[in-house]
Amino acid sequence: MTSTTIAQTDFKARQLTFERVRTAYKEKWSALKAELATAGIMGAFNLYIAAYKNESRLELWVKDTDKKQYQLFKVYSFCASSGTLGPKLKEGDLQTPEGFYHIHAFNPKSNFFLSLRVNYPNGVDRLRSGKEKPGGDIYIHGSCVTVGCIPLTDNKIKEVYVLATEAKNAGQQQIPIHIFPFKMSTANLNEQLLRFPQQKNLWETLRVGYDYFEKNKLVPTVTELNGKYIIK
């Protein structure tokens, strides 16, 4: 066993030292493994998370580590929301961010049972916030309260947390979380830009990433340059 494999296996072992993670595995992992097998996923897998604010919808996509394309595996509804469409601009504005992110940290002792921290603010967010403090502490979490996070209920976060743990333990170094204002069809984009014309530049950029995944079922490569997303 290589040192890299040992380090990956150690991640799950460390998580299982926490009671809430053990509870989540006890309650959810057996059924999730059966569902993964039905979907053709028999071993290690990668995870991609897409969130849609207007639809209050969180999608979990999975793929075998040796395959290219993702397939939709689970869909969850947000159980609460705050703010409106448009990105988070500053601390305390109650907004849920919009952009291309990844899981920054696993929190097995969250105030909201279990939680996955989003790497907000990134460089694009910080530039957009200007002189304002952009805020932080954005999570996908349990419970049903929020001031900008994505709450799912304790029951649902158990499944998401277990799947994310398995993906990371299998070697996925970065689990992407892309947060969109809505399902970014042409019709939806045109309709919402009538209400929020100031979001045109951001939303058209997010649309590029959205379209890439919709067409290819592959996560686009996203980098940042001078406060803007570069999508390939």
Side-chain angles (χ1 to χ4, degrees), residues 19 43 58 84 98 103-104 122 130 177 186 208 219:
E19 181 179 0
L58 190 81
T84 184
E98 296 174 6
I103 293 177
H104 180 66
N122 59 28
I177 302 174
T186 299
V208 174
V219 178

Side-chain angles (χ1 to χ4, degrees), residues 40-228:
I41 307 291
M42 305 300 294
F45 61 87
N46 286 356
L47 179 67
Y48 163 64
I49 302 174
Y52 299 93
K53 290 166 54 173
N54 197 51
E55 292 84 358
S56 294
R57 178 183 174 96
L58 190 81
E59 296 180 350
L60 269 57
W61 295 73
V62 296
K63 74 175 185 69
D64 276 317
T65 54
D66 59 351
K67 293 184 179 179
K68 286 188 174 182
Q69 291 186 311
Y70 282 84
Q71 59 180 304
L72 183 61
F73 180 60
K74 286 280 188 176
V75 177
Y76 304 95
S77 296
F78 304 0
C79 63
S81 61
S82 64
T84 184
L85 297 185
K88 185 173 182 62
L89 297 176
K90 61 182 180 180
E91 188 174 55
D93 65 3
L94 306 183
Q95 288 291 100
T96 300
E98 296 174 6
F100 300 108
Y101 305 101
H102 60 264
I103 293 177
H104 180 66
F106 289 67
N107 186 357
K109 298 179 71 174
S110 171
N111 290 333
F112 305 104
F113 194 73
L114 296 167
S115 61
L116 300 168
R117 185 170 184 171
V118 179
N119 71 314
Y120 172 91
N122 59 28
V124 176
D125 299 312
R126 285 190 289 270
L127 185 65
R128 183 187 299 116
S129 295
K131 296 181 180 180
E132 298 281 359
K133 293 182 178 180
D137 292 335
I138 300 298
Y139 291 86
I140 300 172
H141 61 65
S143 186
C144 280
V145 296
T146 182
V147 288
C149 295
I150 298 175
L152 298 177
T153 73
D154 291 356
N155 186 54
K156 293 175 183 176
I157 194 61
K158 291 173 186 175
E159 295 191 0
V160 178
Y161 199 95
V162 166
L163 290 167
T165 299
E166 288 294 317
K168 185 172 178 63
N169 198 63
Q172 187 175 3
Q173 296 301 310
Q174 194 172 95
I175 299 174
I177 302 174
H178 294 175
I179 306 177
F180 298 100
F182 44 81
K183 286 282 188 175
M184 304 200 76
S185 66
T186 299
N188 284 347
L189 181 60
N190 290 340
E191 177 185 352
Q192 295 297 346
L193 282 175
L194 293 175
R195 300 176 57 209
F196 303 96
Q198 71 275 23
Q199 306 304 343
K200 180 178 175 62
N201 289 340
L202 172 62
W203 287 357
E204 288 185 345
T205 300
L206 296 182
R207 170 77 182 275
V208 174
Y210 173 88
D211 283 348
Y212 183 93
F213 185 83
E214 287 294 299
K215 178 181 179 182
N216 301 293
K217 297 301 182 283
L218 299 172
V219 178
T221 299
V222 181
T223 56
E224 299 173 25
L225 181 65
N226 300 324
K228 296 181 180 180

